[in-house]
Amino acid sequence: MKLYKILWLPVVIIIVLFSRCQLNVSEQDYDIINNQWQQLKTIKDGGLLGERADLWRNQRLWNIAESGYLIDGFENRPGVHPWQGEHIGKWLHAATLAFNVTGDEKLKQKLDEMVGRLLATQLENGYMGTYDKDNTFMALPEGGGWDIWTHRYNLYGLLTYEKYFPNKKVVEACKKMGDLLIRYFGKGKYDLTKYGTRQGISSTTILESVVMLYERTLDTKYLDFAEYIVHVSENNPKLRLMGAMLEKESVVYPGDGKGYQLMANLLGYLRLYRCTGKEKYLKTVLNGWEKIHTNHLLVTGGPWSRHMPYNGNKECFAHIDAFHPEKVVVEGCCDATWIQLNIHLFEFTGEAKYFNEAEITLFNDLYGHQYTDGIEWCYYTAPNEKTPKYVPGYHCCGSSQPRVLEMYSSHLAGVINNKLSINTLNPSTIALTSQFSGGRIKIEGGYPLKQSAKIHFELQKSKSFIMEFRLPANTIAKAVYVNDEEVLPLENSRGFMEIKRKWKNGDMVSIDISYALKAHVQNGEEGKKWIAFTYGPFALAQQISKVPDNEPFKNFTQDELKQVLKSFSRQSGAKIAFTIEGMDITFIPYYQTDSKHSGPRTYFEINNKI
Ligand SMILES: [Zn+2]
């Protein structure tokens, strides 16, 4: 060691000791790391986005709320299904965000009613589940039930409601639930990972809700409990999600690779990072994101899964050599949680790439799960299937997916580093805060079915600021005009395009974009390969009503495959449709292939020697 380094050592030690003291003193006041991107209020969501959101807002939202299914299991224990209790928390989350856009007073009354009735079912000890007393998580703390899962969603739903409608009674009820969980699963008590399913990964999803409770109360006992949940997860060799992600291992093994729940655990790690600043939690999330993004996504943005000898069931991640377009599935909850993870990473970093992912999954895989009557919903879809299985009943996926329909709609525009950040080209109206001189912006056009948008500025007075906008995935800007003048926006480090000027009432930004047509090769089982196509943010698929008996691309040579996009011809008219020269195939957006009588063929087998 060189002399100057030795001389510095005591100083370094003193500084470190001093910092530790400071840390101990201020631990309770640790500043939660703010998200960089803060949302502005959506007043209206239109176009395809609004159409799909309204299907749920006008139909399924009321259908499930008025069925009694949300609350019966709490009011008349036991419920009729092991995870019946999850639905009210999911509904509260989605319906609260829906009210925030629509301002529908009837919905507000329903929200208040459901919260009041749910709170009234809480037992003195804090329990708020749907199980009878011999089967609660307190009675069977090492059981295989879904009682903790119910509390995970109660906390999530109630804390979301309370964020928009402050209410001390709600916070007290949540604290009582948190305290009950600590009494049973805190330090020196039962091992949380021995409860639930898939090595306990269903129970450790409570991590995110416990951190939310800390964020709301700033009571460090909840933060300590959250970190203790990580500790017990890491002590379970069949779970250890953080250890596996830090070592850049596969997502196929932690908790049997259960897709939905693994990603829900990552949501918890992201919040925990924001509340502690400990890098290992953030790295867990980013490495997990990278693995899923690289190995486990369809071109539709759906995280696929398949039952294999080495994992738990068909809802678990599998290695790439398990891929087969008719044998893999996408659980709707996987779409929803992947979108949530991307929206939260987007809020945290402001990076366009995360919202692009959320948008691809929404426009393709998620819309593919939702039936156009607004009620029915698929639990699973497959990229190649003759008919999706829509069902009218209540299942996890039909309650998860509306949550992200609404999350998307509440993230249409925001603020980052004092810039107005326009995050979508979907037709919509967004309220501006005084930092942008008040007023609103109105986006018009037919995105994503059309490749242009006009952003109207309706300002209360002129003001200078930077406006940035996100170009959708797989698109380029053809021309951008401010009023009649063409401008060349610069792309910033987060992938947004910037325009700085003194904005005045009546200004209009016109954006013309161009969708890239791309081919994607997917490897899979028995060394087979498939090709799939995307157009801008859309996955393309052939609409089929029976299992095809031909493989039109299988005899293509490598050169022919390289040239294949040149044989695509966009049909005239407003609809997105491509035909291929010399073939009887029409490609349309994946989600449009779905009906009660037809489904998608997204992947086409190719010569595996290529
Ligand atoms: Zn599900």
Side-chain angles (χ1 to χ4, degrees):
M1 190 181 279
K2 287 183 183 167
L3 184 61
Y4 70 88
K5 284 193 178 170
I6 294 170
L7 288 174
W8 271 100
L9 203 58
V11 180
V12 172
I13 289 171
I14 290 165
I15 290 171
V16 169
L17 287 175
F18 182 71
S19 317
R20 290 289 306 165
C21 292
Q22 288 291 309
L23 194 64
N24 285 338
V25 169
S26 62
E27 229 164 30
Q28 288 188 338
D29 303 322
Y30 179 85
D31 283 337
I32 296 172
I33 304 170
N34 276 329
N35 284 322
Q36 293 204 46
W37 194 93
Q38 305 287 334
Q39 67 204 58
L40 290 168
K41 184 172 163 39
T42 300
I43 301 170
K44 188 174 183 324
D45 49 0
L48 180 62
L49 184 71
E51 196 181 293
R52 289 297 179 137
D54 283 349
L55 279 177
W56 124 261
R57 289 172 189 159
N58 297 332
Q59 304 296 334
R60 194 175 174 99
L61 181 157
W62 293 102
N63 175 281
I64 191 169
E66 286 170 353
S67 69
Y69 194 71
L70 293 179
I71 194 73
D72 282 355
F74 295 91
E75 292 182 338
N76 303 295
R77 296 182 176 109
V80 294
H81 189 276
W83 53 89
Q84 184 181 358
E86 74 175 44
H87 296 280
I88 195 161
K90 290 180 174 182
W91 184 89
L92 285 173
H93 176 210
T96 298
L97 297 187
F99 172 78
N100 195 42
V101 175
T102 64
D104 175 2
E105 271 309 314
K106 186 176 156 220
L107 177 55
K108 174 66 169 52
Q109 283 169 20
K110 195 70 185 172
L111 276 162
D112 294 346
E113 177 202 324
M114 298 313 276
V115 168
R117 287 172 69 180
L118 179 61
L119 259 49
T121 70
Q122 188 168 37
L123 301 184
E124 196 46 47
N125 61 9
Y127 180 75
M128 201 192 277
T130 61
Y131 287 15
D132 61 33
K133 71 175 179 13
D134 296 334
N135 289 293
T136 61
F137 69 76
M138 300 90 82
L140 302 169
E142 295 184 347
W146 294 85
D147 209 19
I148 291 174
W149 179 258
T150 291
H151 287 73
R152 183 266 194 279
Y153 283 105
N154 282 342
L155 286 166
Y156 197 114
L158 287 170
L159 289 170
T160 304
Y161 167 87
E162 203 274 338
K163 192 172 160 186
Y164 289 87
F165 313 111
N167 182 331
K168 277 189 182 159
K169 276 189 193 163
V170 172
V171 181
E172 286 309 310
C174 290
K175 282 163 68 176
K176 281 174 80 173
M177 278 189 275
D179 295 347
L180 179 65
L181 288 162
I182 291 172
R183 282 206 296 283
Y184 279 83
F185 299 104
K187 274 179 197 158
K189 305 293 168 65
Y190 291 100
D191 179 343
L192 180 67
T193 71
K194 289 191 174 154
Y195 188 85
T197 59
R198 307 272 155 238
Q199 323 301 340
I201 201 169
S202 60
S203 300
T204 54
T205 58
I206 194 119
L207 176 64
E208 187 187 23
S209 302
V210 170
V211 183
M212 288 167 78
L213 186 55
Y214 166 71
E215 288 170 351
R216 177 62 186 86
T217 62
L218 295 179
D219 187 333
T220 51
K221 74 179 167 189
Y222 301 120
L223 190 60
D224 291 344
F225 181 45
E227 292 208 84
Y228 185 67
I229 292 171
V230 173
H231 171 77
V232 295
S233 299
E234 292 306 294
N235 267 354
N236 181 337
K238 291 185 171 175
L239 180 49
R240 60 174 291 276
L241 176 59
M242 181 171 75
M245 293 306 97
L246 293 178
E247 296 294 323
K248 299 194 174 177
E249 292 169 14
S250 169
V251 291
V252 168
Y253 300 108
D256 298 341
K258 185 74 166 56
Y260 167 20
Q261 293 157 15
L262 190 147
M263 290 186 277
N265 274 259
L266 294 180
L267 293 172
Y269 281 94
L270 183 57
R271 277 192 198 265
L272 193 53
Y273 170 68
R274 291 184 46 227
C275 291
T276 62
K278 293 181 184 173
E279 289 292 327
K280 61 184 179 181
Y281 300 141
L282 182 60
K283 277 193 181 147
T284 297
V285 182
L286 296 179
N287 290 354
W289 184 92
E290 202 64 50
K291 285 283 172 198
I292 295 163
H293 184 252
T294 308
N295 299 326
H296 303 281
L297 289 186
L298 302 175
V299 287
T300 60
W304 61 270
S305 56
R306 181 178 174 187
H307 189 200
M308 298 303 285
Y310 51 76
N311 65 16
N313 66 15
K314 71 195 279 194
E315 297 169 10
C316 296
F317 286 126
H319 295 299
I320 289 174
D321 61 8
F323 178 85
H324 186 292
E326 289 161 10
K327 297 175 186 171
V328 302
V329 295
V330 178
E331 187 198 350
C333 293
C334 278
D335 280 341
T337 317
W338 175 244
I339 291 174
Q340 269 185 293
L341 184 60
N342 277 288
I343 290 182
H344 285 311
L345 279 168
F346 167 71
E347 285 179 311
F348 182 63
T349 62
E351 288 183 29
K353 71 173 186 179
Y354 294 117
F355 215 85
N356 285 347
E357 293 299 326
E359 189 165 88
I360 289 170
T361 308
L362 181 78
F363 289 175
N364 298 285
D365 221 277
L366 193 146
Y367 289 167
H369 277 75
Q370 184 188 25
Y371 189 53
T372 47
D373 70 350
I375 304 276
E376 296 194 15
W377 222 288
C378 288
Y379 192 126
Y380 302 111
T381 56
N384 288 18
E385 62 181 344
K386 58 184 184 185
T387 44
K389 292 166 194 66
Y390 300 112
V391 290
Y394 306 126
H395 51 70
C396 51
C397 308
S399 289
S400 291
Q401 293 203 329
R403 303 168 65 202
V404 293
L405 281 174
E406 293 295 353
M407 281 179 73
Y408 188 105
S409 287
S410 61
H411 286 78
L412 302 184
V415 186
I416 182 165
N417 305 330
N418 297 316
K419 297 171 189 173
L420 170 62
S421 178
I422 296 179
N423 197 24
T424 184
L425 300 181
N426 277 281
S428 46
T429 307
I430 297 123
L432 295 178
T433 48
S434 57
Q435 89 187 94
F436 304 113
S437 90
R440 60 189 193 169
I441 52 165
K442 209 169 175 180
I443 305 173
E444 291 180 338
Y447 177 80
L449 298 170
K450 289 184 184 155
Q451 299 173 37
S452 63
K454 291 192 190 318
I455 304 170
H456 300 271
F457 284 73
E458 298 177 1
L459 304 181
Q460 287 170 0
K461 58 181 186 220
S462 301
K463 192 157 186 179
S464 291
F465 57 85
I466 294 173
M467 181 274 268
E468 63 170 30
F469 64 93
R470 183 181 61 84
L471 282 175
N474 302 318
T475 64
I476 53 162
K478 260 178 25 189
V480 181
Y481 288 85
V482 177
N483 303 326
D484 293 329
E485 187 189 338
E486 185 161 9
V487 293
L488 291 172
L490 290 178
E491 187 174 341
N492 65 26
S493 59
R494 292 176 290 98
F496 276 74
M497 313 299 284
E498 290 191 352
I499 304 173
K500 183 178 182 183
R501 63 182 264 119
K502 187 168 189 179
W503 299 95
K504 61 181 192 310
N505 186 40
D507 278 348
M508 181 179 72
V509 179
S510 305
I511 302 167
D512 285 327
I513 58 177
S514 175
Y515 287 6
L517 185 63
K518 289 186 178 173
H520 308 259
V521 172
Q522 170 75 47
N523 294 318
E525 73 170 21
E526 297 165 354
K528 288 181 181 168
K529 290 183 179 184
W530 289 264
I531 196 166
F533 305 97
T534 57
Y535 183 55
F538 285 121
L540 297 175
Q542 181 188 12
Q543 188 170 37
I544 57 169
S545 52
K546 59 181 175 46
V547 178
D549 55 6
N550 65 338
E551 282 295 352
F553 297 99
K554 193 150 182 201
N555 296 322
F556 273 42
T557 63
Q558 193 158 14
D559 277 348
E560 284 171 331
L561 275 178
K562 276 187 186 161
Q563 300 294 320
V564 70
L565 294 178
K566 290 191 177 149
S567 58
F568 274 60
S569 164
R570 171 95 194 248
Q571 299 305 287
S572 56
K575 271 194 76 149
I576 295 173
F578 288 92
T579 50
I580 301 183
E581 210 177 297
M583 282 189 194
D584 185 21
I585 296 180
T586 303
F587 282 107
I588 58 176
Y590 164 88
Y591 82 93
Q592 294 176 1
T593 64
D594 287 334
S595 76
K596 288 281 177 82
H597 313 287
S598 65
R601 186 190 197 188
T602 314
Y603 288 87
F604 294 79
E605 197 176 344
I606 56 173
N607 185 338
N608 66 353
K609 301 287 187 297
I610 286 173

